[in-house]
Amino acid sequence: MRAESMPQAGMSCPLAAPSPLLLCYNRRTMSDCYYLDTMGCQMNERDSETIAGLLESLGLHRTESMTDAKVVVLNTCAVREKPEHKVFSKLGDVRKLKQQRPDMVVVVAGCVAQIAHEEIRRRAPFVDVIVGPRNLSGLTEAIRRSTRPAQILANEDEVIPEALAVCRVPGVAAFVNVSYGCNNFCAYCIVPYARGREQSRAPEAVLGEVKQAVADGYREITLLGQNVNSYQGLDETDFASLLRLVAEVPGLARLRFTTSHPKDLSERLLDTMAELGPLCEHLHLPIQAGDDEVLHRMGRGYTYSHYKSLVEAARSRMPGLAITTDVMVGFPGETEEQFLNTLRAFEEIRYDQAFMFKYSDRPGTRAALATDKVPEAVKQDRLERLVAVQNTISHDINEALVGRDFEVLVEGPDPKSPGKLRGRTRTNKLMIFEAADEDLRGKLVTVRAERGYLWGFTGRLPD
């Protein structure tokens, strides 16, 4: 696809457009703008695209300046304690603006809105609308009414409506949900309470959204779900079958998915991954801990030996597969010996990248009631030790790949490297490189890695 045929920055969605899945972009004015702050995971990023589409349908346009906004939306994350604290800190800034401009409409959306709506109403009485992830269909009407005390839209059992307006972030990659919510109820996790029980979308709904995104110029699709492996369409289509259907969409260059739960990762799915050309050689497989007793108390549903066998099976089918993970240190009751088992697991598996966190209480979860909490200083020490090990592994893996050629999907100019472009390899690693032709956005090019870093590579186009 030629770069000039891609959607260009500066385009906005016409409100009367036949499809809601067209690109929207910022157009600043003083009286009809909205400000949208997205916190948290890719699910929240995708929710924000729906929120943006709904606000655009009201005739509003996005601004990056909260002071210019008629509507301010905080799309919040509650997966850990720190992001939740950030919400109330941000609301402190919003409060000052609201005092100066009482007609401003303030919306709190996302997971914090779902699980802490009464606390928001108590601590931030100036908020006009509080809307959970499953209730976005009611957002526009709530904004039109914008009365106080805040309207609370937080029915976790609500069926996810299809065909809501969407304004995607300009770029070459798009997110498409295959399911919402989660049924796992891990001991530490707030997601089932914040996003409700799992619901899978119909295969035709997923396919329709993928086709429209590709038609709009997106070259890469990431299928999203709290646990994509447990996807089950109403016609009994499983996730492996859904992947095959999506991979056949004309014009789709790349396909990814996240997140995959180890207890549901099947041989059938691994075989499918190995067979589909557009499916990228990257698997995100959260481990959370490398000790069986800790995994049991977490309610993860697998042992370390089973997890490791999945990694080995995946790598045997897909040479060069990059594996990334999530891990938590300092879970209640975790001993030094149990932490060392996690450390050894990282040394054995050798992840390409890991998202590493300290345990924090999430009110309403089983782990929050535990009495054998690990002291903060111990958690911090364990996190630093694990990070040091993983950083060495990531650097060594990427250094060993220097000199190899990679297929790179070009995203555009690198904001931190004037005159250079950036893109992603099929293994989802960042590549920054020089190119005489800067008009490569959205194209697949071959780049030779010249230096390896924690985050990826710098490289050049081969002669």
Side-chain angles (χ1 to χ4, degrees):
M1 180 176 291
R2 292 182 56 81
E4 58 266 27
S5 71
M6 301 287 291
Q8 298 297 305
M11 293 179 64
S12 9
C13 298
L15 296 180
S19 165
L21 299 175
L22 298 175
L23 265 175
C24 294
Y25 199 61
N26 300 351
R27 187 177 75 190
R28 294 188 181 185
T29 62
M30 285 300 294
S31 61
D32 61 352
C33 288
Y34 68 90
Y35 172 86
L36 176 55
D37 187 347
T38 304
M39 311 169 195
C41 66
Q42 292 164 318
M43 299 290 284
N44 267 25
E45 291 179 38
R46 179 61 188 82
D47 287 347
S48 282
E49 292 175 345
T50 297
I51 292 170
L54 293 169
L55 294 175
E56 295 271 345
S57 75
L58 292 174
L60 302 173
H61 305 283
R62 190 161 184 168
T63 176
E64 298 304 319
S65 172
M66 188 163 59
T67 58
D68 292 344
K70 180 178 181 180
V71 177
V72 170
V73 182
L74 305 184
N75 190 13
T76 63
C77 173
V79 71
R80 288 179 299 280
E81 188 176 26
K82 186 175 180 180
E84 187 170 342
H85 287 169
K86 180 182 177 182
V87 174
F88 289 100
S89 175
K90 190 81 174 183
L91 282 171
D93 298 331
V94 177
R95 182 195 301 269
K96 298 173 185 176
L97 281 176
K98 182 75 168 179
Q99 289 172 342
Q100 298 169 14
R101 295 173 46 205
D103 61 332
M104 174 191 290
V105 178
V106 179
V107 179
V108 178
C111 293
V112 176
Q114 181 68 41
I115 66 170
H117 43 80
E118 292 298 343
E119 184 179 4
I120 294 169
R121 180 179 268 180
R122 176 177 58 82
R123 294 177 59 179
F126 56 88
V127 171
D128 299 284
V129 180
I130 303 170
V131 56
R134 293 208 163 185
N135 296 269
L136 293 179
S137 60
L139 179 60
T140 52
E141 180 59 29
I143 287 175
R144 287 191 183 100
R145 287 186 284 138
S146 62
T147 58
R148 286 195 301 276
Q151 301 166 74
I152 297 176
L153 310 175
N155 178 9
E156 68 177 37
D157 296 323
E158 183 167 323
V159 175
I160 301 299
E162 296 286 358
L164 291 180
V166 173
C167 283
R168 297 192 184 278
V169 175
V172 300
F175 297 133
V176 173
N177 288 99
V178 303
S179 62
Y180 301 88
C182 184
N183 291 342
N184 289 320
F185 289 91
C186 298
Y188 53 83
C189 188
I190 198 66
V191 167
Y193 307 96
R195 290 188 170 270
R197 301 301 294 267
E198 185 175 297
Q199 292 184 19
S200 294
R201 298 178 69 192
E204 56 269 23
V206 175
L207 276 174
E209 187 174 344
V210 170
K211 289 176 180 177
Q212 187 61 61
V214 171
D216 289 338
Y218 294 92
R219 307 297 314 281
E220 177 179 295
I221 298 295
T222 299
L223 302 179
L224 296 180
Q226 302 300 149
N227 177 12
V228 292
N229 302 346
S230 62
Y231 173 86
Q232 190 69 59
L234 294 177
D235 59 356
E236 298 188 357
T237 300
D238 66 4
F239 188 59
S241 299
L242 182 67
L243 284 177
R244 291 186 183 277
L245 292 172
V246 173
E248 294 174 356
V249 172
L252 176 64
R254 286 182 173 180
L255 177 60
R256 303 183 188 275
F257 62 85
T258 193
T259 292
S260 194
H261 197 295
K263 74 178 179 63
D264 298 319
L265 183 60
S266 67
E267 297 280 328
R268 170 175 157 78
L269 180 55
L270 292 176
D271 288 339
T272 301
M273 291 175 62
E275 294 169 9
L276 298 180
L279 195 65
C280 292
E281 294 79 19
H282 171 227
L283 175 63
H284 187 71
L285 194 64
I287 187 172
Q288 298 303 357
D291 179 84
D292 287 351
E293 176 58 29
V294 175
L295 287 170
H296 176 71
R297 294 201 308 273
M298 286 180 167
R300 291 294 289 170
Y302 54 85
T303 63
Y304 172 61
S305 62
H306 177 62
Y307 180 95
K308 187 180 178 184
S309 72
L310 293 173
V311 171
E312 293 169 349
R315 284 176 168 161
S316 70
R317 287 167 170 81
M318 292 165 276
L321 178 72
I323 298 184
T324 56
T325 198
D326 298 333
V327 67
M328 178 185 301
V329 301
F331 186 77
E334 181 189 68
T335 65
E336 176 66 11
E337 181 181 0
Q338 290 168 340
F339 167 71
L340 290 177
N341 285 338
T342 295
L343 210 57
R344 279 191 290 272
F346 270 57
E347 292 167 341
E348 291 175 358
I349 292 174
R350 295 182 62 80
Y351 294 106
D352 290 75
Q353 187 181 24
F355 299 91
M356 299 167 278
F357 308 99
K358 295 180 291 185
Y359 167 83
S360 63
D361 281 340
R362 299 287 72 216
T365 62
R366 299 195 308 277
L369 302 176
T371 57
D372 51 352
K373 302 291 174 57
V374 177
E376 180 64 28
V378 175
K379 289 193 293 185
Q380 182 64 32
D381 174 70
R382 291 176 183 172
L383 179 62
E384 291 174 1
R385 289 154 63 192
L386 185 61
V387 167
V389 167
Q390 180 56 45
N391 283 354
T392 298
I393 292 170
S394 295
H395 185 269
D396 289 350
I397 287 174
N398 291 342
E399 271 291 310
L401 295 171
V402 167
R404 297 195 185 184
D405 292 345
F406 292 89
E407 178 192 277
V408 173
L409 177 58
V410 182
E411 298 172 356
D414 183 69
K416 297 181 180 179
S417 308
K420 296 185 178 182
L421 301 178
R422 65 183 285 154
R424 293 274 169 181
T425 68
R426 287 176 63 92
T427 53
N428 205 33
K429 295 182 182 181
L430 185 62
M431 178 74 79
I432 298 173
F433 63 100
E434 294 183 5
D437 180 8
E438 294 191 3
D439 190 21
L440 295 176
R441 179 178 176 272
K443 293 185 178 181
L444 296 171
V445 299
T446 299
V447 182
R448 182 162 297 161
E450 292 189 314
R451 290 195 65 181
Y453 301 88
L454 291 176
W455 43 264
F457 310 96
T458 55
R460 62 179 177 85
L461 299 176
D463 299 331

